[in-house]
Structures are given as C-alpha cells and as structure tokens.
Amino acid sequence: MKKNFWSKSFILTLVLALFLAVMTAGCSSKTDETASSKEKKENKTTASADEPGWKKDTSPITFDWYVNFSWFTGKWGDDAVSKYVTDKTGVSVNFISPAGNEAEKMNTMIASGQLPDFITLGWWEDAVKKMIEGKLVLPLNELADQYDPYFVKVTDPTKIEWFKQEDGNTYGYPNASSSPKDFEKYKDLKPSNQTFLVRKDMYEAIGSPDMSTPEGFLKALEAVKEKYPTVNGAPLIPFGLNEFTDVGNTSLEGYLQNFLAIPMEKDGKLYDRTKDPEYLRWLKTFRLANEKGLLSKDIFIDKRPQMEEKIAQGRYFAMLYQRSDLAAQEQALYAKDPNSVYIAVDGPKNSKGDEPTLAGDGISGWTVTLISKNVKDKERAIKFLSYLISEEGQKDLYMGKEGLTYDMVNGKPEFKPEVLDLLNKDRAGFDQKYGASFKYWMLMDTNMSLDWAPPTAEPAKQMEDWTKGKTVSFAAFDGISPTGTSPEGIAASKIAQLWGKTLPKLLLAKSDKEFDSMFKDFLKKRDSYGLDKVEKYQQEMYEANKKKLEVGSK
C-alpha cells in the first residue's frame, strides 16, 4: 500500500494560511462590529432632543392601530387632516376596532401574543397590565432613549412619572389628561363631560319640573310618557343611560355618585360609595321607575350604535350621559328644530341638595396608547408618537392645514368660515371632509387645544356651560383598582363581573325587599371573593398616588 507524505514546508505553508484566514476573519468581524457600533452611535447622536426626529425619514410606512372601542369607525386617508399628516410625515394608519365585545377581542390578541403596531384603550382596563406583564408592549422611555430623545421634550414628565411601572418603565401615554397644575390652571375653562340631559321641548311642555329629587324625577317621567307616548311613531324612552357591560354601567356608578356628591374618601380612608345610603336610595328610585313602566327594555340591551340612532330620533326624554358623545346627533336635531335638542339641567341630588362634584380631566386621562413589541419599525413608531404628542402634531390634528382648513388671524389659527360652519352644523360631515378638531382623539391634549379651539356654539354651549364650576379633580383615585393576575387583581375582576350581573337585576327587582335581598347577597359574595385584599391594595395605591401628586405639583 502506497503512503502519501506531506512535506514540512507544505504543512507550514498550510498552517500559516489558516492562521492568516482566521486573523482576517477576526479583523473583519471586529471591523463590522465597530462599524455597526459606530452606526448606532451616529444614529443616536444625530437624533436631537431639540429637533423632531420624524423629519429625518418621511418615506411611506403604514402602521396598524388598534382602538379598543367598537363604536370607533374612523378611517385614515379619507379626510384633509389625515392626508396632510401622511404627506408631511410619510405615515399612514390602518385603524382596527373590535366588531363585538372589546374585552374578548383584547384577550384573544393577548393570548395570541401578536398585537398591532399601536394599541389605544382605556387606562383602567385590565388588558393594559396584561400586556405589560406579558412583555407584549415596549417601554416608551427606552425607545425614546435609543431612537428619539425629542420624545422627552414634548411629553409631560408628571404624566410619564404617573404611568411608570414597578420596573421603572413607562409603556403608555394618555389623552385628555390633566396634571394637578393643569387642573388648577384650566378648571374654570374646562367643563366636565358628565351631564343630566332632557329634551328641551318635552321638558318645557311638562312645566320644566325639578328632577333632582326621587319624587320629582318619577313625576317628570310619568308626565312626559303620558304626554308623549310615541316619538314619530316609535315608543318614547323616558330615561336613557350608557350601555350595560359585563362589569356594570358608568351612568349608574361614577356619574350618579358624582351627581349625588358622594365622597371618595373620609378621614383619609377610601369610602365605599356602593353602600352609601344616598346611592342606594336613587338605585331604588330607578327600580321603582321600572316597576311603573318608565324604564324601557331598550336601555338594558342597546349598545352605542343603537343609542346614537335613537338619540338622533329624539326618542329619549332624559339621559344621564356624557354630553360629547351626542354632538353629531345634537346638531342634527338643532338643524331640524332648535327646541328638540337636549339641554343640561339639575339631575339627581342627595337629600341635602348639595351641588354635584363632577369629574374633570384627571391625570390618567381617558385612554392610553402603547407600542407593540411586534411593531414593524420601532424608530418610526416612537418618532410618530412624539409628533402626535408635540404641539405641532396637536395643532395639525386639531386645526388641519394652514390655507386649507384654517388661516392665521392676529397670530392665532382660526378655522375658515366654511370649515367652522360645517363643524357647528354637521359634525359627521365635518369629520368626513376635514377630520380636524380631534376626529383622531387617541393622543389629544385637551389643555393645549384651548389655545386654538373656537368658542363653543349652540346647542353644545348650553350643556358645556352648565357643568362649569361643578368640576373636581379625582386624580388621586385614578388607577387604584388592582388588575392582572395577582390575587387582588383576580378578586377585583370577579367582583366587577359580579356587579355587572347584579346591577341590572337590582333595577328589575319587583320590590324594595327583593332589591335589598339581592344587594345583601352581592355584598356577601364580594366579601368571599376577596374584597379585603382589593380594599387594602386600593388604600395603598391611593396613598401612593397622593405622594406622587405632591411631588409632581412642586
């Protein structure tokens, strides 16, 4: 068998070649790594805290934006404002909203681990904590530090601090939010959204009665039903509310309790408003109204689209409702007959007749917007968010484009006459054509917009003016309820769902005795679900909030 032998010189040559190859590869890797680090460093240093980052890249990109409200049907790109923003920033938006139950849709998306680029939902919703705990959303402060320090300049540090989580990060930014300083500065200018409304012509036809007492409330409903059994051939709905959900009804909770001026705390301890005698007195009043045939079945089953349709038809006589959500319908009624609109009057009061303590904008605002870990472009996302929060973005979304929707008059933007006319007469048409005045409300700053907003016109002015001087800040009580999968979070969720089932049954009870029995059973069950854990958590959070606000107000 013949053997092959390599010469020493060949072996040395081979070893040298391998050595050089390894060295070259190592140097190349180090060079690439250095280049990459240099590029990252340059990217960070070129992003300025004083210059809007979005201006560096205005190439076309489309973000999917989930809005967790089934009633939201806004479409980007069909109106002047969204076209202007896209032309300016390169960003288009594909809005997504749930077709049915919002909580079910959110839970399904969370379970899948796949979320759209942006998510907007109520700050109080359990899904917020679930997304954060599940690491499904990105820390805004980290995104800003890496890609866009301008974010820090345009955001309110008090709000960033307020939404900071235990890990030191902030994941969501609010809309319609007022810090304690904001509230004090603007409280005389900013009304509450909570109103007790009546249809003007019907109310005046029955003598404009006092409806602030249970007796007066019931007599008014009886009188109007007798005088107006139908409205344009359809049955009158004597009293309207927000929709019932699986956790209750906002009209019959915070709204009613605020109208009754029920305190949130007593002597530094949180007060259980649900057990307050004044509150139960009025729930029993609504029970009696149902017994008398004064509560329509519609109010227990209708969702917002059905309610909007019936408001537009003027079928409700009275409503405990948020005035802003009937703006379009109010304008339509006003155009047909100024006397058929809804006006704000004194609603339910406590037995002492105290003035209501209506909620103004709190520091938590209304909704929060988060960025998903699945976002298609982190850098463009945080820069677009910064733009929307900035004064420039706020002005673009509220006023639109100079020369098209507004002109500068004495140094201030003013809607063109034809634009303002449409806004005051046909909100739906205004939204479709122009899309200004916060059609896109996801990050609206309701304080900043006061510098541009035109004077409120009738019929909305009457409702707005009625609430002024009655607003208070409930900021310290924001976000105190536990959420998520902690023991107290699970207990709170079970109690909320129990209340959602109990509340309509209380109104449908056949007698006060049956009401009392149902309510007593509710109290026992919520105790067994772990109410003590929930209350302990709430008290601790309330005290922590007070400290936060003291720091933020300095």
Side-chain angles (χ1 to χ4, degrees), residues 62-111:
T62 299
F63 285 117
D64 294 325
W65 194 320
Y66 177 77
V67 180
N68 197 40
F69 297 93
S70 59
W71 49 262
F72 178 72
T73 57
K75 299 296 180 184
W76 187 273
D78 294 340
D79 53 67
V81 162
S82 58
K83 288 176 182 176
Y84 172 53
V85 171
T86 295
D87 289 344
K88 185 175 188 175
T89 66
V91 178
S92 296
V93 176
N94 172 41
F95 282 120
I96 305 165
S97 55
N101 184 284
E102 290 91 345
E104 289 180 4
K105 177 66 174 177
M106 276 302 320
N107 287 333
T108 299
M109 290 195 301
I110 290 170

Side-chain angles (χ1 to χ4, degrees), residues 204-215:
E204 291 176 348
I206 60 171
S208 302
D210 177 8
M211 297 180 69
S212 66
T213 66
E215 299 76 19

Side-chain angles (χ1 to χ4, degrees), residues 423-438:
L423 173 62
N424 289 333
K425 291 181 178 178
D426 182 2
R427 177 72 208 208
F430 174 89
D431 285 347
Q432 186 175 5
K433 185 173 182 178
Y434 298 114
S437 190
F438 288 140

Side-chain angles (χ1 to χ4, degrees), residues 103-400:
E104 289 180 4
K105 177 66 174 177
M106 276 302 320
N107 287 333
T108 299
M109 290 195 301
I110 290 170
S112 73
Q114 298 295 314
L115 296 172
D117 302 306
F118 290 89
I119 308 101
T120 294
L121 70 170
W123 62 261
W124 63 90
E125 295 186 47
D126 192 54
V128 175
K129 190 165 187 178
K130 286 181 180 178
M131 287 188 287
I132 293 172
E133 289 179 342
K135 300 188 183 302
L136 299 177
V137 288
L138 300 172
L140 300 182
N141 51 294
E142 290 186 359
L143 289 175
D145 182 58
Q146 186 173 1
Y147 300 112
D148 189 27
Y150 187 66
F151 176 84
V152 178
K153 180 176 182 178
V154 299
T155 52
D156 186 330
T158 307
K159 295 169 188 176
I160 293 293
E161 182 67 25
W162 181 259
F163 283 98
K164 185 181 289 185
Q165 302 298 306
E166 291 180 2
D167 62 5
N169 293 318
T170 299
Y171 295 84
Y173 199 78
N175 73 351
S177 166
S178 287
S179 67
K181 284 184 178 179
D182 290 333
F183 190 85
E184 285 304 311
K185 182 178 179 181
Y186 297 111
K187 68 179 181 180
D188 293 331
L189 298 174
K190 295 186 66 175
S192 174
N193 204 23
Q194 300 175 347
T195 45
F196 181 78
L197 307 170
V198 292
R199 189 169 145 170
K200 184 175 184 291
D201 51 0
M202 294 181 180
Y203 181 66
E204 291 176 348
I206 60 171
S208 302
D210 177 8
M211 297 180 69
S212 66
T213 66
E215 299 76 19
F217 175 81
L218 292 171
K219 285 181 181 178
L221 295 194
E222 288 175 322
V224 83
K225 186 177 181 182
E226 182 179 350
K227 191 172 185 66
Y228 300 97
T230 62
V231 179
N232 297 322
L236 172 80
I237 303 173
F239 183 54
L241 305 161
N242 271 294
E243 65 183 74
F244 282 85
T245 70
D246 58 349
V247 293
N249 186 302
T250 54
S251 294
L252 294 175
E253 293 156 14
Y255 285 25
L256 177 59
Q257 291 161 355
N258 292 345
F259 265 85
L260 300 177
I262 298 174
M264 296 285 285
E265 60 85 26
K266 289 186 177 181
D267 300 322
K269 298 293 182 182
L270 291 177
Y271 180 65
D272 188 351
R273 297 172 113 198
T274 306
K275 291 168 61 178
D276 186 88
E278 298 285 354
Y279 180 55
L280 294 176
R281 175 172 171 251
W282 270 94
L283 286 186
K284 286 183 176 180
T285 299
F286 299 138
R287 186 213 68 77
L288 183 56
N290 182 67
E291 182 182 318
K292 291 174 173 286
L294 301 173
L295 295 188
S296 169
K297 291 180 180 179
D298 300 47
I299 69 172
F300 294 99
I301 58 176
D302 280 352
K303 300 300 181 184
R304 179 157 164 167
Q306 291 78 39
M307 293 180 64
E308 289 180 347
E309 182 180 351
K310 290 168 184 176
I311 292 171
Q313 295 166 350
R315 287 182 59 190
Y316 295 97
F317 163 57
M319 301 182 75
L320 190 53
Y321 201 65
Q322 55 276 10
R323 60 184 176 80
S324 63
D325 284 357
L326 48 77
Q329 295 79 17
E330 181 84 337
Q331 287 175 336
L333 291 169
Y334 190 72
K336 291 178 184 178
D337 179 2
N339 285 317
S340 70
V341 299
Y342 289 93
I343 59 171
V345 298
D346 286 351
K349 288 187 177 182
N350 61 36
S351 53
K352 294 180 181 179
D354 294 330
E355 282 293 291
T357 52
L358 307 179
D361 287 348
I363 192 166
S364 292
W366 169 30
T367 66
V368 287
T369 293
L370 309 94
I371 296 177
S372 164
K373 72 167 186 178
N374 304 122
V375 66
K376 57 177 63 73
D377 189 321
K378 296 178 183 178
E379 185 171 356
R380 293 291 296 278
I382 188 65
K383 288 179 176 179
F384 186 56
L385 193 69
S386 295
Y387 160 73
L388 295 175
I389 293 169
S390 71
E391 184 174 346
E392 179 179 8
Q394 292 289 314
K395 184 178 174 184
D396 288 346
L397 289 182
Y398 193 92
M399 296 302 304

Side-chain angles (χ1 to χ4, degrees), residues 464-517:
E464 180 180 298
D465 288 347
W466 182 88
T467 70
K468 290 180 178 178
K470 302 178 178 72
T471 60
V472 298
S473 173
F474 291 122
F477 306 95
D478 284 357
I480 63 172
S481 293
T483 58
T485 56
S486 64
E488 57 269 21
I490 293 171
S493 179
K494 289 175 67 177
I495 292 170
Q497 290 174 0
L498 174 65
W499 177 246
K501 293 176 182 177
T502 303
L503 181 58
K505 291 179 182 178
L506 292 175
L507 271 58
L508 295 169
K510 295 178 181 179
S511 66
D512 280 354
K513 184 177 180 181
E514 185 177 343
F515 178 106
D516 290 337
S517 177

